[in-house]
Amino acid sequence: MGDSEATTVTPIVAFFNNKGGVGKTSLVFHLAWMYADMGARVLAVDLDPQANLTGMFLTDLEMEIVWPDRAEDRSSVLGAVYPLISGTGDIAEARIQNCGESIGLLAGDLGLSRFEDTLAEAWPRCFGGDERAFRVMTAFHRVVTGACRKFRAEVALVDLGPNLGAINRAALITASHFAVPLGPDLFSLQGLRNLGPTIRRWRTDWISMLEKAPQGVFGPEDLPAGTIEPIGYVFMRHSIRRDRPVQAYARWMDRMPGEYSHAVLDEQVNMPEGLDFDTDPNCLALLKDYRSLMPMAQEANKPMFKLTPADGAFGGHQSSVQACYWDFAKLAEGIGERIGVSASWDPC
């Protein structure tokens, strides 16, 4: 991939699970670095009010600069949408943090939770064609797509919080695609049963609302299509024994293909006999728990697959670093195929 200005709409991929603790923030962080390694220009977007993705990219000192005392002065997503929260105007231009030659960050903000009530109130008013309601509901879309154009991003990766609230609803109608990080446990299985029907309802409602959008106010690029196309799921942090998941986890992993098909894709057919997570086309990857690599990566402010002996990754750690690189490279390539981004890696 080159860094020439894209002529097509940038794919916006949200990583979402209403169950927390599955490693989605780490997944977005590592995929951003991997796509950059593959030559893509990447925009990482932190729409989780916990702002953990921002904390992975920026140092404490850098975050202090991004988060001055006055919300309207912040170089974060909050600063961009604050005029709508305060009722003083429309969105402000997003300020992008450069986190490397090919990675831009739309920084998150703990204060973004203040936008929740505004978004919740705007959603039903869109059915009546209220102009301000549409400005509120399209704020994330206009901020993110504007930043994509400014940064010349070829892909945008969005980190969301673990809930089915108004912020995530507005963020998901912005997304062209979404992927579901899962843990091999009962909580993730139950989460799929909540997530799938809810997203389908949001999609249907938003498409109906678009028919009520005020004429002549918004350009075609200002209104998200609300496609929210599912591209698959990623198993995170499964333990392995002899290259196979341990029995306690395998029990839940074996049930995920059928549950994803029914809950997320709304497919009411029986799964083909013999289909499991190894052969399920909706399973994007099984990512191992790299144990001691993550604390080193957090200390070094870099992805696990870029750790060196200078970061403490000695001896056997280096084989884990290399395995981690290939795992994320294959995942990035697989996602790229599904969203129309030409990502390639050299396994040699």
Side-chain angles (χ1 to χ4, degrees):
M1 285 182 283
D3 62 357
S4 60
E5 185 168 357
T7 57
T8 57
V9 175
T10 304
I12 300 172
V13 187
F15 292 81
F16 179 57
N17 190 330
N18 63 304
K19 190 265 181 192
V22 294
K24 63 178 177 52
T25 300
S26 174
L27 178 62
V28 174
F29 177 76
H30 283 80
L31 280 172
W33 277 100
M34 180 52 66
Y35 277 120
D37 255 23
M38 291 176 166
R41 293 184 65 80
V42 187
L43 184 70
V45 182
D46 191 351
L47 295 183
D48 182 353
Q50 296 182 60
N52 290 325
L53 181 65
T54 300
M56 295 189 78
F57 275 110
L58 304 181
T59 66
D60 287 352
L61 179 58
E62 289 170 330
M63 285 192 289
E64 280 193 274
I65 297 171
V66 169
W67 296 340
D69 290 340
R70 285 165 35 104
E72 57 266 44
D73 296 332
R74 296 191 174 186
S75 303
S76 66
V77 175
L78 176 63
V81 301
Y82 188 76
L84 287 166
I85 298 174
S86 62
T88 58
D90 202 355
I91 59 169
E93 184 178 5
R95 284 174 274 186
I96 302 168
Q97 311 303 312
N98 289 309
C99 300
E101 184 177 342
S102 302
I103 303 176
L105 170 70
L106 281 185
D109 198 304
L110 276 69
L112 189 60
S113 58
R114 298 163 65 179
F115 201 28
E116 189 90 35
D117 288 346
T118 306
L119 288 164
E121 292 167 2
W123 182 260
R125 293 207 307 271
C126 285
F127 282 111
D130 183 88
E131 180 179 330
R132 171 173 160 78
F134 271 93
R135 290 192 184 281
V136 169
M137 289 310 308
T138 62
F140 286 152
H141 174 78
R142 290 182 290 134
V143 167
V144 173
T145 55
C148 285
R149 289 191 295 270
K150 182 178 180 180
F151 192 69
R152 296 181 292 116
E154 293 165 88
V155 61
L157 307 176
V158 184
D159 186 28
L160 301 178
N163 62 71
L164 294 170
I167 286 178
N168 284 346
R169 180 171 58 191
L172 280 164
I173 64 170
T174 294
S176 55
H177 307 80
F178 78 98
V180 185
L182 294 172
D185 52 45
L186 173 61
F187 297 98
S188 283
L189 186 140
Q190 292 291 340
L192 283 178
R193 294 172 180 171
N194 294 330
L195 178 152
T198 300
I199 291 180
R200 288 198 300 278
R201 185 176 70 251
W202 290 347
R203 182 193 296 125
T204 300
D205 285 352
W206 180 249
I207 291 172
S208 296
M209 290 174 188
L210 287 176
E211 298 176 358
K212 307 292 185 180
Q215 298 298 310
V217 176
F218 301 97
E221 71 281 358
D222 294 329
L223 297 172
T227 52
I228 328 176
E229 180 182 345
I231 58 172
Y233 59 91
V234 181
F235 273 125
M236 305 289 291
R237 298 180 178 175
H238 69 283
S239 296
I240 60 170
R241 181 178 298 150
R242 296 180 182 176
D243 296 323
R244 297 290 296 173
V246 296
Q247 186 174 1
Y249 288 171
R251 166 187 182 201
W252 300 111
M253 294 170 73
D254 287 337
R255 295 177 61 180
M256 291 301 178
E259 201 61 52
Y260 182 88
S261 176
H262 290 310
V264 177
L265 303 181
D266 199 25
E267 294 177 347
Q268 302 303 318
V269 297
N270 293 326
M271 298 299 291
E273 186 175 351
L275 182 67
D276 60 15
F277 56 86
D278 284 325
T279 54
D280 183 11
N282 296 310
C283 183
L284 295 166
L286 280 76
L287 297 180
K288 306 177 186 69
D289 184 348
Y290 292 99
R291 297 183 177 87
S292 57
L293 292 186
M294 182 53 77
M296 290 185 207
Q298 291 172 333
E299 180 70 22
N301 260 114
K302 61 171 62 173
M304 293 183 289
F305 52 72
K306 285 189 174 292
L307 292 172
T308 67
D311 302 311
F314 298 104
H317 285 305
Q318 278 304 304
S319 61
S320 295
V321 168
Q322 186 176 27
C324 181
Y325 183 91
W326 300 135
D327 284 346
F328 276 97
K330 288 185 285 186
L331 174 58
E333 185 177 47
I335 291 175
E337 290 173 356
R338 298 181 188 219
I339 65 174
V341 172
S342 178
S344 60
W345 57 291
D346 182 3
C348 299

